[in-house]
């Protein structure tokens, strides 16, 4: 079991950041982040998550027109913005990744199943990205608030990948942290049967 300090880092004290120090996130940290998140489970080990780490001024300018007005400043000032996406043809890698018999053929024959599986498991991998980033000492600012179609046209023009959400990464200033909003209690959100 993790000790209390680890739980503080991952959940209890972790907050959404919107203001960033002018401190770069080294490529090695991004590589380590991916090396951690890729080990977490997905159904049938399908691994549909795809990640674009937008870290250059040119990349940020490509991203800017896709952003909702309220997300421009926090995104442009973040050292890195991760585009969390999923591969609609993830199943092409299944013969190498999965022990499931005929997985590739099954998904190739059922586009709705492939799309649902890609979205669901890519979302899981996006959550793992946040946990891995926090474990490595990064602060996170996950968000919607962007034009998916415009972003996909600009970053994934062949249509194979689809964006899900964005996550700013870096070292937060600690300024402008909003009070934690309410959460549903166990009895409101859970049942034991």
């Amino acid at each position: 079991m993790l000790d209390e300090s680890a739980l503080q880092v991952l959940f209890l004290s972790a907050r959404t950041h919107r203001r960033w120090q002018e401190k770069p996130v080294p490529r090695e940290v991004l590589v380590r982040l991916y090396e951690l998140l890729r080990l977490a489970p997905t159904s049938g080990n399908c691994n549909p998550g795809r990640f674009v780490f937008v870290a250059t001024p040119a990349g940020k300018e490509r991203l800017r027109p896709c952003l909702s007005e309220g997300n421009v400043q926090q995104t442009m000032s973040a050292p890195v913005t991760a585009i969390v996406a999923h591969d609609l043809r993830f199943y092409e890698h299944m013969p190498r990744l999965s022990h499931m018999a005929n997985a590739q053929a099954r998904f190739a024959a059922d586009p709705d199943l492939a799309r649902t599986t890609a979205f669901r498991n890519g979302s899981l991998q996006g959550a793992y990205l946040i946990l891995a980033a926090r474990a490595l000492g990064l602060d996170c600012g996950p968000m919607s608030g962007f034009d998916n179609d415009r972003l996909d046209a600009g970053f994934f023009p062949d249509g194979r990948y689809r964006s899900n959400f964005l996550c700013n990464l870096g070292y937060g200033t600690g300024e402008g942290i909003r009070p934690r909003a309410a959460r549903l209690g166990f009895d409101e959100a859970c049942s034991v049967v």
Side-chain angles (χ1 to χ4, degrees):
M1 182 180 293
L2 295 175
D3 66 17
E4 185 68 18
S5 63
L7 295 176
Q8 289 290 334
V9 167
L10 295 176
F11 297 103
L12 302 173
S13 295
R15 303 303 299 282
T16 295
H17 285 260
R18 292 173 181 83
R19 296 184 187 164
W20 306 97
Q21 297 177 40
E22 290 186 28
K23 179 179 174 184
V25 176
R27 185 179 194 281
E28 305 79 54
V29 174
L30 299 176
V31 171
R32 180 70 174 144
L33 184 156
Y34 178 73
E35 293 295 322
L36 291 172
L37 81 86
R38 74 185 183 121
L39 296 174
T42 56
S43 63
N45 201 40
C46 63
N47 288 278
R50 302 295 181 264
F51 308 92
V52 176
F53 294 107
V54 183
T56 65
K60 290 291 185 116
E61 288 305 320
R62 284 177 61 197
L63 192 56
R64 181 191 295 268
C66 306
L67 300 169
S68 298
E69 185 177 326
N71 288 333
V72 172
Q73 178 58 37
Q74 64 181 316
T75 302
M76 299 306 288
S77 65
V80 177
T81 301
I83 300 172
V84 178
H86 50 276
D87 182 355
L88 295 174
R89 296 197 316 258
F90 67 91
Y91 50 82
E92 293 176 0
H93 300 283
M94 293 294 279
R96 181 168 57 100
L97 299 176
S98 181
H99 299 292
M100 292 172 49
N102 301 318
Q104 182 176 9
R106 181 173 155 234
F107 287 112
D110 190 341
D112 288 336
L113 176 63
R115 191 172 25 262
T116 300
T117 301
F119 178 73
R120 179 180 297 128
N121 288 277
S123 297
L124 272 175
Q125 290 187 283
Y128 300 145
L129 175 138
I130 294 168
L131 292 175
R134 288 175 173 175
L136 293 173
L138 294 173
D139 293 309
C140 301
M143 61 184 169
S144 297
F146 67 99
D147 184 329
N148 288 79
D149 291 336
R150 190 169 186 177
L151 185 143
D152 291 349
F155 283 86
F156 312 123
D158 69 358
R160 179 173 177 147
Y161 299 168
R162 294 283 169 86
S163 59
N164 186 340
F165 67 94
L166 303 177
C167 187
N168 291 323
L169 300 169
Y171 305 95
T173 65
E175 299 169 345
I177 300 287
R178 296 177 183 163
R180 188 180 300 275
R183 302 295 197 269
L184 295 177
F186 183 89
D187 291 332
E188 294 174 287
C190 306
S191 60
V192 179
V193 296

